[in-house]
Amino acid sequence: MSSNLPKVAWIGLGIMGSPMSENLVKAGYQVTGYTLEQDKIDRLVAAGGKGAASIADAVRDADVVITMVPASPQVEAIAYGPDGILENARRGALLIDMSSITPQTSVDLASSAKDKGIRVLDAPVSGGEAGAIEAVLSIMVGGEQTDFDAAKPLLDVLGKTIVLCGPHGSGQTVKAANQLIVAVNIQACAEAVVFLEKSGVDLSAALDVLNGGLAGSTVLTRKKDNFLKRDFAPGFRIDLHHKDMGIVTDAARNVGAALPVGGVVAQLVASLRAQGDGGLDHSALLRSVERLSGSQV
């Protein structure tokens, strides 16, 4: 193990955090992980990382602290307070928050951390579980250029497209736009699937040829099998996309940007969640179109 690599604390070992932290371990980083479920800490240890008994324990000696948790309240819960990151990480540490949260939460976190001598980047990702496992995530970053430059070698282990988008909060703003595009794209694919099936077309063949033309997309490539097999095991849960659509609609309202189609899709995501499908993959937007088209789902 290369001793000149920064020591990493990883907080949040869920669908994304587990494979991402393991990719760092494979690359030779010393990674100490903490999350709420012991079995997920055990998984990191089995992969060659270390486990911690608390956030304070995980971050105390870390050069870099990476967080990957579901939403703004969780980021605030792990960052602030006597047991949180800011009180227990050392001065000069770099905190990279890879959660998808509101831009304002990221701005506030960076401001609070500065008082403690801790540098912050917001670095949300796109690519889902598969992108995390394959280390081909797109990472949109907000913060200072010097901190971005320091983090870049580590981020290169986790993703393929890594871009500094502007000051604190910019990564979250770009992530919000990403989630808008993805949701609208999945919705369009779902509508096409139901239309094709009701028309009696060979769905697999149709999706193959569509994906080879201008209608093709990463969404269709990644989600085609979900549509074909009606397999909605979560890579990215509707509950989380619901949260993200709230972020983008709120942020767009604040800057005076209209989201006419995004607003409709946000409501469709919300209705799917209200019908008990919040734990399914976001490709389950197909179920909503099926219900609207008279199918029993």
Side-chain angles (χ1 to χ4, degrees):
M1 192 173 289
S2 204
S3 56
N4 59 345
L5 290 174
K7 283 190 198 150
V8 178
W10 194 291
I11 313 297
L13 299 167
I15 286 177
M16 301 293 288
S18 280
M20 290 169 74
S21 59
E22 286 164 18
N23 283 334
L24 283 183
V25 172
K26 284 179 205 154
Y29 285 86
Q30 184 181 314
V31 180
T32 303
Y34 176 75
T35 201
L36 294 176
E37 299 90 358
Q38 184 61 43
D39 62 312
K40 292 177 180 172
I41 298 175
D42 295 342
R43 174 179 158 174
L44 177 64
V45 172
K50 292 182 175 177
S54 65
I55 290 170
D57 185 31
V59 306
R60 197 166 286 119
D61 299 322
D63 303 305
V64 177
V65 178
I66 302 178
T67 52
M68 180 54 109
V69 296
S72 293
Q74 287 87 353
V75 169
E76 289 165 346
I78 63 176
Y80 301 119
D83 301 321
I85 295 165
L86 299 190
E87 286 297 332
N88 293 284
R90 59 176 191 75
R91 289 187 77 83
L94 176 60
L95 170 56
I96 307 173
D97 176 38
M98 305 192 81
S99 319
S100 293
I101 60 176
T102 71
Q104 191 58 50
T105 306
S106 290
V107 171
D108 294 344
L109 177 60
S111 172
S112 300
K114 193 172 185 181
D115 298 338
K116 303 278 183 190
I118 296 169
R119 302 166 294 148
V120 176
L121 294 171
D122 49 287
V125 307
S126 176
E129 183 182 14
I133 292 167
E134 296 159 25
V136 294
L137 293 166
S138 188
I139 306 176
M140 10 347 230
V141 187
E144 301 288 338
Q145 181 75 50
T146 49
D147 298 334
F148 175 77
D149 293 341
K152 183 74 163 48
L154 189 151
L155 296 177
D156 281 333
V157 175
L158 303 175
K160 196 166 70 168
T161 307
I162 297 131
V163 180
L164 180 64
C165 300
H168 296 296
S170 300
Q172 299 298 349
T173 300
V174 177
K175 173 64 192 247
N178 180 86
Q179 297 306 81
L180 167 67
I181 294 169
V182 169
V184 172
N185 200 331
I186 291 176
Q187 179 65 24
C189 290
E191 291 180 17
V193 165
V194 173
F195 165 58
L196 290 164
E197 284 190 330
K198 281 188 172 284
S199 303
V201 173
D202 179 332
L203 182 61
S204 183
L207 294 182
D208 279 343
V209 71
L210 287 171
N211 208 25
L214 190 57
S217 66
T218 305
V219 162
L220 189 47
T221 300
R222 291 277 197 203
K223 302 299 181 183
K224 188 172 69 168
D225 284 346
N226 299 69
F227 295 139
L228 287 169
K229 298 173 184 169
R230 301 302 198 268
D231 174 7
F232 303 123
F236 188 81
R237 287 180 286 128
I238 283 287
D239 281 338
L240 290 174
H241 217 130
H242 174 70
K243 177 258 304 183
D244 289 342
M245 295 309 283
I247 290 172
V248 69
T249 49
D250 185 53
R253 179 184 292 174
N254 289 340
V255 297
L259 306 181
V261 177
V264 170
V265 177
Q267 292 299 316
L268 290 166
V269 172
S271 81
L272 196 57
R273 189 167 174 264
Q275 286 169 326
D277 289 343
L280 301 181
D281 187 73
H282 50 180
S283 55
L285 275 166
L286 179 59
R287 288 166 65 85
S288 175
V289 184
E290 288 178 318
R291 288 184 183 112
L292 289 168
S293 301
S295 300
Q296 288 296 317
V297 176

